[in-house]
Amino acid sequence: MSPERVRIGPPLCVSAWRCCLDFRALGAKAPVLTDGAWGTELQRRGLRAGECPDALNLTALGAVAEVARAYVDAGSQVILTNTFRANALSLAACGLAERVREINKAGALISREATDGRALVFGSIGPTGEVLALCEDLRDRLFDIFAEQATALAEGGVDAIVIETMSDVGEAKIALAAARSTGLPVVVSFAFDTGRNKDRTMTGVTPEQAAIALTEAGASAVGANCGAGIETAIGICRRLHAATDLPLWLKPNAGLPRVVGDRIKYDVGPEDFASQAPALVQAGAAFVGACCGSNPAFISACARVLRPACA
């Protein structure tokens, strides 16, 4: 599919979509441009190594708002919240387990205000980082852990929730059930970065298994983020598309990371990434963005390729 045939529609009427957010209607307007990486952007604005990124929602609101605003200015029609690890289990490592509601609600409010009505806000929920097979006692607590975070994001005014970078179907389904209890639409996205072809999650889940399980569990959209890069994501997207009729959410990394000195480098730049975005849409992606190694320049480049008349 040529770039001329793959275009985001006219600037979205956020107020109309927010009143009745229908993911299939959004998918019909595909591709919808989402955002890119947050962690590295926060590091550029002062986040120190080992510091809890989610805590910046309370201590450095301006820096968090700058990241959100930069993505909207770059062309994002959907941005996330700075809450990826803001569940009680992960925050406990930072001594912040009692501030789950405060951190998540603040993250939602910061992103909402930063959009200035120009984009939708989806609340980010990541995995707990625990292996359920080794922590059976955690399984019984998991629903409440995810529900606490999802409820706080809903209170902050997010339009939907994205459960992202998942590897275990069991954890993803529990997180989905907890997030659905808010009444909001829920995206569930897996990280496929393992195996000879980099097409399985860390726990061995295939795109087909993820798509079928989460479609049956009631997700509003399914997809993949992080992973080995956009070239690999195109094939994964085709497989997801063949396994479900739900809208697909794709946010690949900027290639594979490599260590150079004391820094992590990604080899794919904004223009190279964007040149493959039309193929991702042709493979079935309804929502297109970027993940680790990316920045607002990646979103600007995708906007120029996918929406040349409006860039």
Side-chain angles (χ1 to χ4, degrees):
M1 183 179 291
S2 68
E4 292 74 23
R5 299 272 312 274
V6 181
R7 302 190 182 193
I8 297 173
L12 54 81
C13 177
V14 170
S15 60
W17 282 17
R18 186 166 290 140
C19 289
C20 186
L21 188 57
D22 181 335
F23 265 59
R24 291 190 183 276
L26 282 174
K29 297 177 182 293
V32 176
L33 196 56
T34 65
D35 60 5
W38 279 68
T40 45
E41 289 301 291
L42 289 171
Q43 288 171 4
R44 291 181 55 233
R45 292 165 173 82
L47 176 67
R48 298 184 298 274
E51 187 177 5
C52 177
D54 313 272
L56 297 186
N57 294 343
L58 306 180
T59 61
L61 285 71
V64 178
E66 282 181 11
V67 176
R69 195 174 300 113
Y71 279 119
V72 177
D73 290 343
S76 295
Q77 298 167 296
V78 170
I79 65 166
L80 301 188
T81 55
N82 179 41
T83 56
F84 177 69
R85 281 296 174 88
N87 63 74
L89 203 60
S90 298
L91 289 178
C94 310
L96 296 169
E98 302 304 316
R99 306 189 76 176
V100 171
R101 180 175 180 272
E102 189 179 0
I103 288 172
N104 281 279
K105 187 173 181 180
L109 291 170
I110 291 168
S111 285
R112 165 74 73 220
E113 184 174 347
T115 68
D116 194 27
R118 295 178 292 156
L120 298 172
V121 176
F122 289 8
S124 171
I125 292 180
T128 60
E130 301 293 336
V131 180
L132 290 192
L134 303 177
C135 307
E136 281 300 321
D137 61 321
L138 174 62
R139 189 179 296 272
D140 295 334
R141 299 164 42 216
L142 211 52
F143 181 92
D144 291 339
I145 288 171
F146 283 124
E148 180 183 27
Q149 184 179 7
T151 298
L153 288 167
E155 289 176 353
V158 299
D159 299 294
I161 290 172
V162 177
I163 298 164
E164 55 179 338
T165 325
M166 301 303 284
S167 64
D168 183 274
V169 166
E171 182 177 21
K173 289 172 69 174
I174 294 171
L176 170 61
R180 289 187 72 199
S181 70
T182 65
L184 292 171
V186 184
V187 180
V188 184
S189 178
F190 287 78
F192 300 99
D193 56 7
T194 305
R196 183 176 62 183
N197 298 317
K198 303 296 184 185
D199 62 350
R200 293 175 180 265
T201 72
M202 185 177 62
T203 62
V205 178
T206 66
E208 292 81 5
Q209 289 169 333
I212 292 169
L214 275 301
T215 298
E216 292 175 350
S220 302
V222 298
N225 71 288
C226 212
I230 192 166
E231 287 186 5
T232 302
I234 292 167
I236 288 170
C237 186
R238 291 194 189 100
R239 292 170 63 180
L240 291 169
H241 187 55
T244 182
D245 63 352
L246 292 180
L248 300 182
W249 171 277
L250 274 295
K251 293 186 67 178
N253 280 353
L256 286 169
R258 58 188 178 89
V259 178
V260 179
D262 60 351
R263 302 185 65 184
I264 296 177
K265 295 278 190 178
Y266 289 82
D267 291 330
V268 177
E271 300 303 327
D272 287 342
F273 184 95
S275 71
Q276 299 183 77
L280 195 61
V281 175
Q282 186 178 38
F287 296 85
V288 176
C291 204
C292 302
S294 68
N295 55 48
F298 281 70
I299 304 307
S300 294
C302 285
R304 288 192 296 272
V305 170
L306 297 175
R307 192 175 56 196
C310 302

